[in-house]
Amino acid sequence: ETALTHPARLRSLTLWNSGPSREEGGFPIYLDALLTQGHRALEVERMPLADTDPVQAWYADRLRRTELAQLEAALRAMLEQCDRTDELAALRLPALVAHGAHDFAWPQRSQSRMASRLSADYAVIADAGHCAHWDRPAYCAGLLDAFWGELA
């Protein structure tokens, strides 16, 4: 939204683990699961490695401790969003679209298409999920440094 309302304030656009619209993500399914089964539905579907992976265990614990009303509000906000990719592309800002290879929230094909529509650099981060910066912090920092360094 900032890019569209104040484009002169930006030198580039970085879209990290995000998709172009509500239709692309699994948000209606997640919201239905949350409303019918509470925390357990999302945790079971999305955190299959929580018993063996400390990072997934942290996410599962964070999910359990988040109020259901907050999770519902976040999902409803995502469902209200529309695809603004064409508007962003018209700004002609240098862009980077990056996501984890195992991002469960947004289909890779939608992130790839979004990168193409933006004429953006595109990176799929191996061995990373929806929070690639958590899974591969050094790699992600290097990726951002390289992208922003090209703009200097």
Side-chain angles (χ1 to χ4, degrees):
E1 196 62 36
T2 298
L4 295 172
T5 55
H6 305 288
R9 294 182 182 175
L10 303 176
R11 292 186 52 195
S12 67
L13 178 65
T14 303
L15 299 167
W16 201 263
N17 297 308
S18 66
S21 72
R22 63 185 171 259
E23 288 85 17
E24 298 287 346
F27 299 109
I29 294 167
Y30 301 155
L31 180 60
D32 183 59
L34 180 72
L35 294 175
T36 59
Q37 300 172 29
H39 288 101
R40 179 156 170 65
L42 298 178
E43 182 178 326
V44 169
E45 272 187 49
R46 296 290 146 215
M47 304 291 177
L49 303 176
D51 292 335
T52 59
D53 181 338
V55 172
Q56 293 295 318
W58 183 87
Y59 284 127
D61 184 59
R62 177 179 170 206
L63 182 63
R64 278 192 296 273
R65 292 173 186 263
T66 302
E67 293 290 330
L68 288 174
Q70 182 179 351
L71 294 171
E72 179 183 350
L75 289 169
R76 288 191 187 283
M78 292 290 217
L79 286 167
E80 293 173 5
Q81 299 305 306
C82 61
D83 186 347
R84 312 278 307 264
T85 306
D86 293 336
E87 293 169 81
L88 291 170
L91 299 176
R92 302 172 88 50
L93 287 168
L96 168 66
V97 174
H99 62 85
H102 307 291
D103 185 354
F104 61 81
W106 297 99
Q108 287 190 29
R109 69 186 177 284
S110 67
Q111 294 182 78
S112 173
R113 283 194 309 260
M114 182 175 64
S116 179
R117 290 169 61 198
L118 291 169
S119 298
D121 290 357
Y122 177 62
V124 178
I125 302 156
D127 301 319
H130 181 59
C131 294
H133 55 284
W134 179 280
D135 298 331
R136 305 272 318 274
Y139 180 86
C140 292
L143 181 65
L144 291 169
D145 184 56
F147 174 68
W148 290 328
E150 292 175 6
L151 304 175

